[in-house]
Amino acid sequence: MLRRWPPLFAEDGRVVFGNAQALAGLEEIHTGITAFFATIAGLHHEVVNEWYVGDDAIIELTVTYDRKDGRQVTIPCVTIFHTDDAGKIDD
């Protein structure tokens, strides 16, 4: 799964997950995503709604996290992203 992430982001891309500090650049993004996935056994996204305005996207999701203790937790989520001229996520 992690190998699919880097091609989606611009070299100077920026990611903010929840209330954590922003991750800037491909290396920080990769390190942060890798660290996050180390805390869970897996996850599944179900898209509820999608809106696109120019280079911006807003995706409403339901995310089910597979915990390492075998239980699952499902929460609502919204992802907002912007793409650059090359179609890569830059924020």
Side-chain angles (χ1 to χ4, degrees):
M1 169 110 184
L2 294 177
R3 298 215 184 271
R4 289 187 267 169
W5 282 85
L8 299 175
F9 291 95
E11 288 286 330
D12 61 347
R14 190 177 84 94
V15 172
V16 178
F17 183 77
N19 63 350
Q21 187 167 349
L23 305 170
L26 291 178
E27 189 169 326
E28 277 191 23
I29 292 169
H30 177 75
T31 299
I33 290 172
T34 300
F36 168 72
F37 275 100
T39 68
I40 61 172
L43 62 81
H44 172 78
H45 294 95
E46 182 179 330
V47 176
V48 176
N49 275 307
E50 301 175 62
W51 298 271
Y52 298 91
V53 180
D55 295 329
D56 298 312
I58 303 166
I59 313 297
E60 178 185 4
L61 309 143
T62 300
V63 182
T64 300
Y65 292 96
D66 299 323
R67 294 168 36 135
K68 290 191 172 191
D69 65 5
R71 295 187 296 181
Q72 289 186 323
V73 176
T74 300
I75 61 169
C77 172
V78 173
T79 297
I80 303 169
F81 62 87
H82 180 271
T83 55
D84 64 14
D85 292 337
K88 303 263 185 170
I89 298 169
D90 61 1
D91 198 23

